[in-house]
Amino acid sequence: MIESEAPLAERVDVDRDREVAALFNKHYTPMCRLAFVILGDSALAEEIVMEALLKTFSGWRRIRDHERAEFYLKRAVVNLCRSRIRRKMVEQRASALMDRSAAISTWDPSQSDTRRAVWDAVRKLPERQRASVVLRYFEDLPEAEIAEVLDCSVGTVKSQLFKARQKLGSVLGAEAPGGDR
């Protein structure tokens, strides 16, 4: 029985390979154009399309209607482009932060303890509050952009910032050098 299944599996693999090759031949150039228009970088566009084709090939058995595989491929290209853009934005922000940190040339020992206390308190906040605080006060983003980055409503951002300020106020008021509590 296993011997009779092997040729069927091989036939399915050959059919898959043929269909994916046809998909590649027909849609490679249009998908590269699509990715280029989104990204503005031809080498990166080709890389994205190859990754999308690889995902299509590896997930071929999950595609219900092989006639519509080009739509799966197109969605994969667009999603990979969006992911690459998001990653690039994060990298640019990190680079800007590094540049900003390098620009601080003076070291004030009296501020160092305060800064450490503030950052320690921020790191102890729950994840969403911490992200909201960093995006608002370190990245200087408006609440609407924070909501977009965190994929939540502006009201949620406002409530997270309020809760974080409350918590930071109580922690830093008690632990800050010269604090009253």
Side-chain angles (χ1 to χ4, degrees), residues 4 6 9 15 19 23 25 30 33 48 55 60 65 77 80 96 104 109 124-125 140 145-146 158 166 175 178 180:
S4 65
D15 289 344
E19 289 180 48
L23 185 70
N25 290 334
R33 269 195 307 266
I48 292 290
K55 285 179 179 275
W60 193 253
D65 184 2
V77 167
L80 287 168
I104 300 172
K124 291 177 184 172
L125 289 172
D140 200 29
E145 285 185 38
I146 296 169
K158 288 180 181 183
Q166 295 287 92
E175 295 179 10
D180 293 321

Side-chain angles (χ1 to χ4, degrees), residues 82 86 89-90 93 125-137 139 141-162 164:
R82 291 176 63 210
R86 279 192 301 271
M89 289 173 52
V90 168
R93 284 187 181 147
L125 289 172
E127 184 179 332
R128 190 170 276 204
Q129 288 178 20
R130 184 174 57 242
S132 297
V133 166
V134 170
L135 291 171
R136 179 69 184 109
Y137 298 106
E139 288 289 312
L141 293 180
E143 291 165 345
E145 285 185 38
I146 296 169
E148 190 173 324
V149 170
L150 297 179
D151 194 26
C152 64
S153 70
V154 174
T156 299
V157 170
K158 288 180 181 183
S159 72
Q160 293 299 306
L161 287 170
F162 177 79

Side-chain angles (χ1 to χ4, degrees), residues 77-96:
V77 167
V78 170
N79 287 340
L80 287 168
C81 286
R82 291 176 63 210
S83 293
R84 193 61 58 103
I85 289 168
R86 279 192 301 271
R87 184 175 348 144
K88 189 174 183 178
M89 289 173 52
V90 168
E91 289 171 356
Q92 287 173 341
R93 284 187 181 147
S95 178

Side-chain angles (χ1 to χ4, degrees), residues 2-174:
I2 293 175
E3 291 176 20
S4 65
E5 290 178 8
L8 176 61
E10 288 173 17
R11 224 175 25 245
V12 168
D13 287 344
V14 169
D15 289 344
R16 177 200 61 197
D17 293 352
R18 193 172 356 96
E19 289 180 48
V20 171
L23 185 70
F24 175 86
N25 290 334
K26 184 176 180 182
H27 296 288
Y28 178 76
T29 301
M31 291 299 121
C32 284
R33 269 195 307 266
L34 172 66
F36 175 77
V37 170
I38 294 171
L39 299 169
D41 181 334
S42 60
L44 186 56
E46 287 183 24
E47 184 182 319
I48 292 290
V49 171
M50 292 307 292
E51 189 175 342
L53 282 163
L54 182 61
K55 285 179 179 275
T56 302
F57 177 77
S58 63
W60 193 253
R61 288 189 174 107
R62 291 188 307 262
I63 298 175
R64 291 184 188 139
D65 184 2
H66 292 167
E67 301 287 322
R68 298 181 46 83
E70 70 182 273
F71 297 108
Y72 176 84
L73 177 63
K74 187 178 290 189
R75 185 173 0 154
V77 167
V78 170
N79 287 340
L80 287 168
C81 286
R82 291 176 63 210
S83 293
R84 193 61 58 103
I85 289 168
R86 279 192 301 271
R87 184 175 348 144
K88 189 174 183 178
M89 289 173 52
V90 168
E91 289 171 356
Q92 287 173 341
R93 284 187 181 147
S95 178
L97 290 175
M98 296 294 287
D99 292 345
R100 211 181 301 162
S101 296
I104 300 172
S105 60
T106 60
W107 179 70
D108 183 356
S110 66
Q111 290 184 349
S112 134
D113 290 338
T114 304
R115 285 183 182 160
R116 188 174 310 117
V118 169
W119 281 113
D120 286 345
V122 169
R123 281 189 202 101
K124 291 177 184 172
L125 289 172
E127 184 179 332
R128 190 170 276 204
Q129 288 178 20
R130 184 174 57 242
S132 297
V133 166
V134 170
L135 291 171
R136 179 69 184 109
Y137 298 106
F138 195 69
E139 288 289 312
D140 200 29
L141 293 180
E143 291 165 345
E145 285 185 38
I146 296 169
E148 190 173 324
V149 170
L150 297 179
D151 194 26
C152 64
S153 70
V154 174
T156 299
V157 170
K158 288 180 181 183
S159 72
Q160 293 299 306
L161 287 170
F162 177 79
K163 291 174 186 176
R165 282 191 299 265
Q166 295 287 92
K167 193 172 286 186
L168 289 172
S170 68
V171 169
L172 293 173

